Amino acid sequence: MQFVDSFEVTKIGKAYVVKVNELHPKRKTMLFHVDSGASVTLVGLNSFCNKEDIGNYNLLKSIIEERIQADGLDKYVYSAKTATEEQVETYPCKCDGVSISETKPITLYFHIYLGNVGMPLLGFDYIDDTSYHHTIAGDLIVTGVAEDIGKRFYPEKVLDFNSILEDYKSRALG
């Protein structure tokens, strides 16, 4: 089922980016690269905390690893590959209440990489559940999104990232 929610995707140079709200533990707006070549929506640890802040970076990593083990979650069976065909182990997650480009909050399904990514990616799993229009050398306009956007691409068992972020915020240093 589709609900109507439209937004314009910002073009910066040769890339399209969207603002993502209510995913960062400090409620900061995050920029995601809209990438139809990425099979999954992907974020890294550095998307949530500064990689230079070793204490909090390692804390978040350990909380996620604890949840992976406690939930008996396996790494993504079809491990992502970079453009240079290097394998990247990721874990499926969901986070409720996330807003893409200031639209109605959704449950965002994504994969977490327990390392750094240059910029989070909004991948095919999200894009394939949207209706959009692209003008020649112009704008990308999303005119509709599926009610459970991206969910069909994910297994039943995923990490509850809302819970992980609450745990992280309560235990974060400083």
Side-chain angles (χ1 to χ4, degrees), residues 9-12 14-18 32-34 134 138-140:
V9 179
T10 305
K11 187 175 182 181
I12 298 178
K14 293 185 177 185
Y16 289 100
V17 297
V18 293
F32 275 57
H33 178 154
V34 178
H134 178 260
D139 298 328
L140 183 66

Side-chain angles (χ1 to χ4, degrees), residues 24-25 44-53 56-61 116 168:
H24 194 278
L45 288 177
N46 64 317
S47 303
F48 301 103
C49 56
N50 188 332
K51 65 184 178 183
E52 306 301 323
D53 183 355
N56 282 325
Y57 186 90
N58 287 334
L59 174 62
L60 180 58
K61 184 175 183 178
N116 301 321
Y168 172 70

